[in-house]
């Protein structure tokens, strides 16, 4: 009886901490962002430019060929547009590119660990970059453009599937990159894996059947970036042969994110702090 | 001069301490190249040549461009930005060497390290399962090595410029990211410049970016012959020299208005 009350009291306190923590982080976030207003604009423009760069690649390539392994220009544009949406969600909430530098080498992790909220949750809140969500808007514009040219027909429930696929894709991204960030707990060396992994993740937005089966296997089961772009997008393009994979998207997302959280927890346990 | 050589050596040794990290890097590099190979196979779709390049030349182009990138790529723009934000730049400025020179030398140490421990083993690994074709003519290799050295200079100069701009904006993460993407696209890393529409090629002649990746890669795949090689190298030389001017001017202005935060 008494322990039950204690537990209830504790869970109330935890939820209060979470609530206060979240809003305080938000307020702090707005303040720091507005401090560097000019930079906010530059960041937004740079996001647009990075998408423009990828679009330029596609458009230039399709200036020399009309089909990519049986896929038309508009289908590939649609896949790219879709890919941008989960990627934007990931970018907004999992800005952990510099986790090693910022938290391990400079010892910020020690501060995070003294607080009563899960450390990964804190790191996510501290490094939130909500302006990345704008990239998702660009993605939807590209999808609308390509979709209109392809005369795609949508059902009423497709919007729910879209949300589900986007969340699944974002979780896959988060799973892979959080797992990579946890390497820092074991070795505080600087690594070039993250930017390289970013390059690999881009291949999920091309039709998976252009790759050798080994690469296809890797992009499906080991670094499952195909679930961020081509698989779920195939559903909306009505490519029936990929439907099975499309519906696996949210499940893969949950599995990979769960693995990442387990690795994170194991890493935190092993973490000895900066300095001595 | 000796102190700069020492800086290269120290950065190299610093990287060497962390070399185990690069074993995974090699593997990822190989996956990266392979994926591009399949993408280009699909783009060629049975065509013999595109824009005068065979599929074999294109595969070599992609592999070499990424290898070269590991060499010329460095984060000195980010390092300068960080040292400014944290105020360390003040102590660096009173030391008896050129701050920008030191940064460049550190970048070179890092580049040489990546060349030996990432690019070369990665390239060997890729050559095992992809049809790469390397030139047999010694002259081509000499031109390539010269060209790749100039790539490093141009890229480092652009990094220094971007880093110095931090003096004026204090936090320019977005700008640095944008610069990276412009370089990836217009340097010819992900797409040879010869694939762009004519008007775009004409515009790009007025920017230094193709001196970073396109020119050395075209030389080593023997897509450039004779006069084209000389023109390419001249293009790189001219930009190496031209870029010094804005660096000098901005650096002088930057030192004048340096505000050390919290100081």
């Amino acid at each position: 009886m008494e322990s039950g009350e204690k537990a209830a009291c504790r869970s109330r306190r935890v939820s209060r901490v979470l609530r206060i923590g979240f809003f305080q982080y938000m307020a702090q976030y707005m303040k720091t962002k507005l401090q560097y207003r000019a930079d906010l604009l530059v960041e937004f423009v740079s996001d647009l430019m990075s998408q423009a760069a990828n679009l330029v690649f596609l458009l230039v390539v399709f200036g020399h060929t009309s089909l990519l392994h049986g896929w038309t220009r508009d289908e590939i544009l649609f896949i790219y547009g879709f890919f941008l949406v989960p990627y934007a969600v990931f970018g907004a909430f999992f800005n952990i590119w510099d986790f090693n530098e910022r938290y391990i080498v400079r010892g910020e992790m020690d501060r995070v660990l003294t607080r009563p909220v899960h450390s990964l949750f804190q790191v996510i809140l501290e490094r939130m970059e909500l302006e990345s969500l704008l990239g998702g808007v660009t993605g939807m514009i590209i999808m609308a453009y390509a979709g209109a040219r392809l005369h795609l027909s949508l059902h009423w429930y497709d919007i729910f599937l879209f949300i589900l696929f986007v969340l699944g894709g974002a979780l896959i991204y988060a799973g892979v990159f959080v797992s990579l960030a946890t390497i820092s707990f074991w070795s505080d060396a600087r690594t070039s894996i993250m930017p390289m992994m970013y390059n690999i993740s881009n291949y999920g937005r091309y039709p998976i059947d252009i790759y050798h089966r080994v690469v296809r296997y890797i992009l499906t089961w080991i670094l499952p970036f195909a679930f961020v772009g081509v698989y779920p997008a195939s559903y909306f393009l009505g490519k029936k042969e990929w439907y099975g994979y499309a519906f696996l998207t949210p499940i893969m997302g949950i599995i990979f994110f769960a693995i990442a959280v387990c690795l994170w927890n194991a890493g935190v346990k092993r973490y000895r702090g900066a300095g001595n | 001069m000796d102190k700069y050589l020492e800086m290269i050596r120290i950065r190299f040794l610093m990287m060497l301490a962390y070399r185990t990290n690069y074993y995974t890097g090699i593997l990822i590099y190989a996956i990266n190249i392979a994926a591009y190979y399949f993408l280009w196979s699909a783009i060629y779709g049975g065509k013999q040549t595109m824009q005068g390049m065979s599929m074999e030349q294109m595969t070599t182009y992609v592999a070499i461009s990424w290898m070269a990138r590991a060499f010329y790529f460095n984060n000195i723009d980010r390092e300068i930005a960080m040292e400014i934000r944290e105020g360390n730049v003040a102590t660096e400025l009173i030391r008896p060497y050129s701050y920008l020179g030191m940064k460049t030398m550190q970048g070179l140490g890092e580049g040489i390290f990546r060349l030996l421990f990432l690019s070369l083993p990665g390239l060997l690994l890729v050559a095992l399962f992809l049809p790469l074709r390397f030139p047999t003519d010694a002259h081509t290799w000499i031109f390539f090595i010269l060209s790749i050295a100039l790539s490093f200079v141009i890229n480092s100069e652009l990094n220094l410029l971007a880093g110095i701009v931090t003096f004026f904006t204090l936090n320019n993460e977005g700008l640095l990211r944008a610069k990276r993407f412009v370089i990836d696209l217009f340097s010819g890393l992900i797409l040879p410049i010869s694939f762009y529409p004519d008007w775009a090629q004409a515009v790009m002649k007025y920017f230094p970016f193709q001196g970073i990746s396109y020119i050395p890669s075209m030389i080593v795949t023997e897509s450039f012959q004779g006069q084209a090689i000389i023109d390419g190298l001249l293009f790189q030389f001219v930009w190496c020299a031209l870029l010094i001017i804005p660096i000098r001017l901005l650096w002088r202005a930057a030192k004048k208005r340096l505000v050390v935060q919290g100081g």
Side-chain angles (χ1 to χ4, degrees):
Chain A
M1 181 63 206
E2 206 186 18
S3 74
E5 251 171 43
K6 223 185 250 168
C9 178
R10 197 167 152 254
S11 87
R12 258 204 309 279
R13 207 180 64 222
V14 167
S15 85
R16 212 178 114 243
V17 166
L18 277 180
R19 215 172 43 239
I20 294 175
F22 186 74
F23 287 117
Q24 282 181 344
Y25 272 119
M26 282 298 268
Q28 208 55 43
Y29 171 79
M30 296 309 286
K31 272 189 241 167
T32 51
K33 283 294 154 177
L34 290 175
Q35 187 72 46
Y36 297 110
R37 246 163 310 207
D39 214 53
L40 197 63
L41 182 73
V42 173
E43 209 159 294
F44 173 58
V45 173
S46 84
D47 270 2
L48 275 184
M49 281 179 83
S50 80
Q51 287 148 17
N54 293 315
L55 279 178
V56 166
F57 178 81
L58 287 179
L59 295 177
V60 169
V61 159
F62 274 103
H64 297 273
T65 178
S66 56
L67 283 180
L68 205 68
H69 217 282
W71 299 68
T72 66
R73 187 189 85 140
D74 291 323
E75 283 172 339
I76 290 184
L77 278 180
F78 185 90
I79 297 174
Y80 179 61
F82 178 88
F83 164 87
L84 285 179
V85 184
Y87 180 67
V89 174
F90 160 76
F93 292 102
F94 294 90
N95 182 21
I96 47 172
W97 307 102
D98 50 359
F99 174 75
N100 181 33
E101 195 98 348
R102 194 175 278 268
Y103 286 89
I104 304 292
V105 176
R106 287 161 65 187
E108 293 277 291
M109 195 65 198
D110 297 3
R111 173 179 57 76
V112 168
L113 287 175
T114 56
R115 294 186 182 160
V117 184
H118 191 269
S119 47
L120 178 57
F121 187 60
Q122 283 186 64
V123 171
I124 290 170
L125 286 180
E126 284 182 13
R127 304 290 298 137
M128 228 170 5
E129 260 191 27
L130 293 182
E131 61 271 28
S132 294
L133 287 174
L134 284 168
V137 177
T138 324
M140 285 197 247
I141 293 170
I142 296 171
M143 279 169 79
Y145 163 81
R149 287 174 57 104
L150 290 163
H151 306 293
L152 294 184
S153 56
L154 295 176
H155 302 101
W156 61 270
Y157 50 79
D158 281 352
I159 180 74
F160 297 106
L161 282 172
F162 176 71
I163 294 170
L164 205 61
F165 289 167
V166 165
L167 290 179
L171 282 179
I172 286 171
Y173 247 102
V176 171
F177 280 94
V178 170
S179 300
L180 284 183
T182 62
I183 293 174
S184 310
F185 289 121
W186 279 272
S187 131
D188 62 356
R190 291 199 301 174
T191 138
S192 59
I193 296 181
M194 283 236 194
M196 285 240 173
M197 187 61 82
Y198 166 78
N199 288 320
I200 291 185
S201 74
N202 282 337
Y203 302 125
R205 52 171 215 247
Y206 297 109
I208 191 81
D209 46 354
I210 67 170
Y211 302 120
H212 186 266
R213 56 192 163 75
V214 175
V215 180
R216 218 182 294 179
Y217 184 85
I218 292 172
L219 287 176
T220 306
W221 303 117
I222 298 172
L223 305 167
F225 293 116
F227 286 101
V228 184
V230 58
Y231 286 147
S234 301
Y235 168 78
F236 299 106
L237 291 171
K239 302 259 180 190
K240 291 215 165 51
E241 64 267 42
W242 305 108
Y243 275 21
Y245 286 107
F247 291 118
L248 261 181
T249 306
I251 299 165
M252 290 297 282
I254 291 167
I255 292 173
F256 271 77
F257 192 63
I259 293 172
V261 172
C262 290
L263 282 173
W264 180 278
N265 289 337
V268 167
K269 226 174 247 166
R270 201 182 167 285
Y271 175 69
R272 292 187 198 289
N276 335 319
Chain B
M1 198 61 218
D2 277 356
K3 58 191 175 214
Y4 292 107
L5 283 179
E6 189 63 13
M7 286 165 195
I8 300 176
R9 198 178 71 89
I10 287 179
R11 182 54 77 98
F12 184 88
L13 291 177
M14 209 170 103
M15 303 290 287
L16 201 63
Y18 299 134
R19 63 187 171 279
T20 43
N21 282 18
Y22 281 83
Y23 298 148
T24 35
I26 293 167
L27 194 66
I28 290 174
Y29 168 87
I31 299 171
N32 208 345
I33 303 287
Y36 257 117
Y37 167 75
F38 296 115
L39 188 56
W40 278 109
S41 307
I43 293 167
Y44 270 74
K47 286 194 201 79
Q48 284 304 313
T49 61
M50 282 177 97
Q51 304 306 106
M53 289 172 82
S54 68
M55 182 60 207
E56 215 178 25
Q57 278 177 314
M58 184 56 83
T59 313
T60 314
Y61 181 97
V62 170
I64 291 280
S65 320
W66 284 92
M67 184 200 90
R69 185 177 186 272
F71 171 66
Y72 65 70
F73 181 86
N74 54 50
N75 278 322
I76 56 180
D77 48 351
R78 266 159 220 277
E79 287 171 19
I80 294 175
M82 191 175 258
E83 280 173 1
I84 288 168
R85 208 162 27 223
E86 290 169 6
N88 299 340
V89 71
T91 41
E92 292 293 343
L93 283 177
I94 57 172
R95 292 198 171 140
Y97 47 67
S98 139
Y99 175 68
L100 298 182
M102 176 203 60
K103 281 285 143 210
T104 313
M105 290 304 128
Q106 288 182 344
L108 186 57
E110 218 173 298
I112 294 172
F113 169 83
R114 282 209 213 90
L115 183 72
L116 294 178
F117 287 88
L118 183 69
S119 308
L120 290 180
L123 202 60
L124 281 178
L125 184 66
V126 172
L128 287 180
F129 59 90
L130 289 184
L132 301 185
R133 202 200 53 184
F134 295 109
T136 45
D137 186 7
H139 289 100
T140 313
W141 282 107
I142 292 167
F143 287 134
F144 173 67
I145 290 166
L146 185 61
S147 178
I148 203 77
L150 294 172
S151 298
F152 172 83
V153 176
I154 295 178
N155 188 56
S156 300
E157 284 175 336
L158 290 175
N159 276 350
L160 290 178
L161 263 184
I164 297 172
V165 172
T166 321
F167 274 91
F168 304 95
T169 61
L170 290 179
N171 177 357
N172 66 352
E173 181 61 28
L175 181 74
L176 297 186
R177 253 185 264 174
K179 186 204 60 141
R180 211 182 100 181
F181 275 102
V182 168
I183 288 182
D184 281 356
L185 190 62
F186 298 120
S187 68
L189 173 69
I190 61 171
L191 197 69
I193 304 294
S194 54
F195 273 70
Y196 285 94
D198 293 337
W199 61 266
Q201 290 188 39
V203 172
M204 278 181 227
K205 275 200 191 105
Y206 297 99
F207 291 94
F209 305 115
Q210 54 183 293
I212 297 174
S213 186
Y214 178 64
I215 293 173
S217 301
M218 290 304 267
I219 290 177
V220 82
T221 56
E222 294 176 318
S223 310
F224 274 178
Q225 298 281 356
Q227 191 57 36
I229 297 179
I230 307 298
D231 288 346
L233 288 172
L234 267 178
F235 178 91
Q236 289 184 301
F237 263 121
V238 169
W239 273 110
C240 282
L242 275 182
L243 282 170
I244 293 175
I245 300 167
I247 292 176
R248 279 277 162 83
L249 290 177
L250 272 175
W251 181 236
R252 199 176 300 158
K255 276 197 288 195
K256 260 187 207 138
R257 52 162 291 167
L258 171 66
V259 182
V260 175
Q261 294 188 49

